[in-house]
Amino acid sequence: TDLGDTRPTDSRYQIILHHDPAFPLSTLIDLSVTFSATVIDYGSGGAAADLPVAFEVVAIHDLDGHVEDDGDGRLDTEHATTDSLGRVVNRFHGETTPNRIYTVEISVPDTDTVPVRFPVRVTAAACGCVQVNFQYDGVQEKTSLHDFVVSIVPSDFKCGVHLKPTTTLDDELVIAERMAADINGSVRFDCIPAGTNYTVFAKAMGAVDMCVAAAGCDRTLVLEPNSCDQVTLNFYDAELKPSGLYRSIDHFDFSQLVEACAGGETTIVGCATSAGDIGKTICCAITELNKFFNKPGLTIIETFQSLIAYYFGQLAADVIDLFKDAIASVITDYIKNRSPSWLQDFFTIGESMMDIINYLELHSDLQLAKPQQYTVEGAHFYKELVLYWKIGCNPADPNFADCGRWPLSMEDLAGAQVPTNIVGGNFSATISNFNRLLVHQHEVGLHYGKLVLYVLNEIIIKSITNGQANSLLGVAHLWLDCTAIADGISNMVGGVLGPNARQNIEMLCNNAVDNVFGFVEDYLGALTLGSSLMLRGSATLVDDNCDADLLVDRIINGTWEGHLQGNSQQATVTGTWEATRK
């Protein structure tokens, strides 16, 4: 026969096995199995007759692929000669050691012929084959599941009773084990003892870490010798357990809330007209406070203008409007640049203080109950409020992050002259997608107006005035010279205001002081009725040590979204949070 150029290498000879080397030959202990091959001679274009051939066992492994050296299986012969058709036959004896796979090599000595190798499996009982395929209909992304570990165990282990996502199998109980990379893979067990029932159990890892995210289990019928059973394993989601007590840190951003629910451009007098709408009044007052610390002259002159319109008519207010920016700049420049140093410090710290009350950090104990049907009941118990301002802190200092940190316990706040009434809140949450915690909307007792007033009066003002004042109104009477301001405005626009303009303006100045500062104090001090924080959020559950009980060690990437609830106004509050098991 003309074989042409079909040989796979440049060697003269090629060895062709008479069975598929991808599947092991099988025999039992004390029995044997025969194998054969044909050697082709490309030099003569036909069978390689009368050619010496060598046989050798080159490796021994157990059924899981581990190298062993105690196998006593043997070949009938280590040397043979091909017949006239180029064929050679040999036999492998299983002897006495079960559960071994021997690698047999056939070669042509003293030539460059490529040897061939194949496995021979020796067991104590007849083997059956199991092909395991995967199916998943859960809520996680299929691509997030990985490292599918499939175990064959005795049928005494029952699905859902002995075998759960948290089950850890002892090595001696596992008949065989294989791994697949993803849900699209499959595993094949070539030698499972035939004639008995068995259970297939598998786990899959998830996206965030190497913890179990899904599991599958199935009991099968008796395996038949030398046949392959097909099993489709359905995977279901594991359930992380966040029950327990956690230390939680929450960061809230109130800046959008204040801007939105104040209703746009505001004035102190305009804020006063919104009385009765608690949500809007809180935001309006805090907006004016923000504006006051950044542009105190503008706040004061706008209040003058509103009061002048009330006392002298709109025409007079329109005249003031022509000079408003100039007067506001003069007042702001004086306050921030030419007033006493303690007053300048007050406004510098005041700007920083407004960042403090716009961005709050709260520490709490977070108690989560045992999940029931993927639903978790929880509660915040606030323990501490932490304020930060960086006045006097050096950004180059390695400890800059902790500089200006001012922790206040709930006991401190409860005993304050202006108690802030920060309390916790109960909530329910849902566990979805294995490790996603969705917190349903709930109410938190955070009286924001009182908190702002407490920070301003009891901390900032007391500190900067060395105890001379503990309110904005007290500060104003320390430094605001209404007589000088009235002289300046009267000289600029007094002619259009009629007789006694200077005296009237001084009176208006004092009224403006009372309105600007007294309004903020009075309203923030009283704005606790009917106001609460409504929140909903989400977070990721993490089991750091992947222990068998699936307990959650940390909660990360938490977000909050909600609103300050008043009589009719709502506005957005955002935040982030994280928690660690205590």
Side-chain angles (χ1 to χ4, degrees):
T1 302
D2 183 5
L3 299 176
D5 293 327
T6 59
R7 55 183 166 174
T9 69
D10 292 332
S11 303
R12 175 176 177 177
Y13 301 106
Q14 181 184 359
I15 303 170
I16 301 176
L17 288 173
H18 293 166
H19 69 277
D20 187 350
F23 299 96
L25 295 178
S26 295
T27 187
L28 304 177
I29 56 175
D30 297 326
L31 297 179
S32 63
V33 61
T34 299
F35 59 90
S36 60
T38 294
V39 183
I40 303 298
D41 182 354
Y42 287 99
S44 63
D50 300 321
L51 184 69
V53 174
F55 304 90
E56 181 183 4
V57 175
V58 295
I60 306 173
H61 296 83
D62 64 17
L63 298 183
D64 290 323
H66 303 117
V67 175
E68 299 288 353
D69 59 5
D70 60 347
D72 58 356
R74 62 179 179 81
L75 294 161
D76 237 3
T77 180
E78 294 182 354
H79 302 281
T81 302
T82 60
D83 63 14
S84 60
L85 298 178
R87 294 180 302 187
V88 66
V89 179
N90 203 343
R91 181 179 295 275
F92 187 89
H93 297 268
E95 297 300 325
T96 64
T97 305
N99 301 325
R100 294 291 179 265
I101 296 177
Y102 299 84
T103 301
V104 176
E105 181 181 273
I106 305 176
S107 61
V108 179
D110 303 324
T111 70
D112 59 356
T113 305
V114 177
V116 296
R117 293 182 176 183
F118 60 91
V120 179
R121 181 174 53 223
V122 178
T123 57
C127 288
C129 167
V130 182
Q131 176 77 31
V132 182
N133 303 310
F134 306 143
Q135 176 66 39
Y136 175 71
D137 297 319
V139 297
Q140 303 177 66
E141 291 290 337
K142 289 185 177 182
T143 55
S144 70
L145 298 176
H146 60 94
D147 290 352
F148 287 71
V149 178
V150 185
S151 304
I152 305 294
V153 298
S155 59
D156 294 342
F157 292 88
K158 295 179 174 57
C159 299
V161 178
H162 307 107
L163 301 175
K164 303 176 182 179
T166 56
T167 300
T168 299
L169 295 172
D170 293 334
D171 291 341
E172 59 267 22
L173 299 177
V174 177
I175 298 172
E177 194 168 81
R178 299 284 185 273
M179 179 181 287
D182 53 52
I183 190 66
N184 298 315
S186 64
V187 296
R188 179 186 174 101
F189 298 89
D190 288 320
C191 185
I192 302 299
T196 184
N197 290 335
Y198 62 91
T199 300
V200 182
F201 175 62
K203 299 180 182 181
M205 308 304 161
V208 175
D209 45 43
M210 287 296 293
C211 298
V212 175
C217 189
D218 185 53
R219 295 187 69 197
T220 71
L221 299 176
V222 177
L223 271 182
E224 296 295 330
N226 302 316
S227 66
C228 204
D229 194 6
Q230 295 285 329
V231 175
T232 297
L233 204 57
N234 289 299
F235 281 81
Y236 56 92
D237 293 318
E239 182 179 353
L240 283 173
K241 300 175 183 178
S243 56
L245 186 63
Y246 295 81
R247 177 65 169 171
S248 179
I249 300 178
D250 300 61
H251 293 93
F252 292 108
D253 181 350
F254 287 88
S255 59
Q256 295 181 42
L257 178 150
V258 172
E259 179 181 351
C261 76
E265 288 297 321
T266 60
T267 65
I268 290 292
V269 173
C271 284
T273 64
S274 68
D277 186 338
I278 292 176
K280 183 172 182 178
T281 307
I282 291 175
C283 300
C284 190
I286 295 174
T287 297
E288 285 304 307
L289 198 56
N290 270 302
K291 187 197 301 183
F292 172 71
F293 277 113
N294 283 281
K295 296 180 180 178
L298 182 60
T299 302
I300 293 171
I301 197 62
E302 283 181 344
T303 305
F304 283 171
Q305 189 174 8
S306 298
L307 294 172
I308 284 172
Y310 178 78
Y311 282 99
F312 295 103
Q314 186 59 46
L315 178 61
D318 291 341
V319 172
I320 291 293
D321 193 53
L322 297 175
F323 298 90
K324 180 174 71 174
D325 290 340
I327 297 172
S329 295
V330 170
I331 297 174
T332 298
D333 177 66
Y334 167 76
I335 291 173
K336 287 197 167 187
N337 300 311
R338 294 185 291 110
S339 65
S341 59
W342 71 266
L343 181 59
Q344 295 181 42
D345 289 343
F346 172 77
F347 279 94
T348 301
I349 292 178
E351 291 181 40
S352 176
M353 187 276 295
M354 293 313 297
D355 284 337
I356 292 169
I357 63 175
N358 283 338
Y359 308 98
L360 299 182
E361 178 179 313
L362 283 168
H363 295 189
S364 68
D365 283 341
L366 177 64
Q367 180 72 56
L368 298 177
K370 182 179 179 181
Q372 301 291 332
Q373 298 296 318
Y374 296 98
T375 298
V376 180
E377 298 296 325
H380 308 275
F381 299 99
Y382 286 113
K383 311 293 286 187
E384 188 177 59
L385 169 68
V386 179
L387 306 176
Y388 294 87
W389 61 84
K390 300 299 182 181
I391 301 300
C393 295
N394 181 3
D397 191 323
N399 298 318
F400 177 74
D402 292 325
C403 181
R405 185 178 188 272
W406 193 317
L408 299 169
S409 70
M410 292 301 108
E411 290 79 8
D412 294 334
L413 297 174
Q417 181 177 340
V418 185
T420 59
N421 302 107
I422 300 177
V423 296
N426 297 320
F427 63 87
S428 64
T430 301
I431 300 175
S432 69
N433 200 19
F434 171 65
N435 61 354
R436 194 68 174 160
L437 184 70
L438 303 178
V439 182
H440 305 159
Q441 181 166 289
H442 62 288
E443 182 177 350
V444 173
L446 176 60
H447 297 294
Y448 190 55
K450 277 200 168 186
L451 177 63
V452 172
L453 191 63
Y454 171 78
V455 172
L456 179 65
N457 291 350
E458 300 300 315
I459 298 177
I460 302 298
I461 291 177
K462 273 189 175 181
S463 298
I464 200 65
T465 64
N466 293 318
Q468 296 181 69
N470 66 343
S471 69
L472 281 175
L473 191 57
V475 168
H477 288 303
L478 284 175
W479 61 264
L480 196 56
D481 186 353
C482 281
T483 300
I485 291 175
D487 287 338
I489 295 177
S490 178
N491 291 335
M492 297 177 69
V493 298
V496 300
L497 300 180
N500 301 317
R502 196 206 65 77
Q503 294 88 340
N504 287 330
I505 292 174
E506 183 175 350
M507 177 190 68
L508 295 179
C509 175
N510 286 313
N511 287 342
V513 170
D514 291 335
N515 273 277
V516 170
F517 301 105
F519 169 81
V520 173
E521 288 185 332
D522 293 343
Y523 276 81
L524 287 182
L527 293 177
T528 57
L529 297 176
S531 64
S532 59
L533 188 61
M534 305 298 293
L535 287 178
R536 64 179 180 273
S538 64
T540 299
L541 306 175
V542 177
D543 179 4
D544 282 330
N545 52 14
C546 296
D547 49 19
D549 54 15
L550 287 175
L551 282 177
V552 172
D553 298 298
R554 291 182 298 127
I555 304 175
I556 63 172
N557 301 329
T559 60
W560 291 123
E561 180 180 344
H563 57 268
L564 187 68
Q565 181 70 53
N567 289 353
S568 63
Q569 290 290 328
Q570 295 182 2
T572 301
V573 176
T574 59
T576 60
W577 63 288
E578 59 184 21
T580 304
R581 182 177 290 278
K582 295 186 73 171

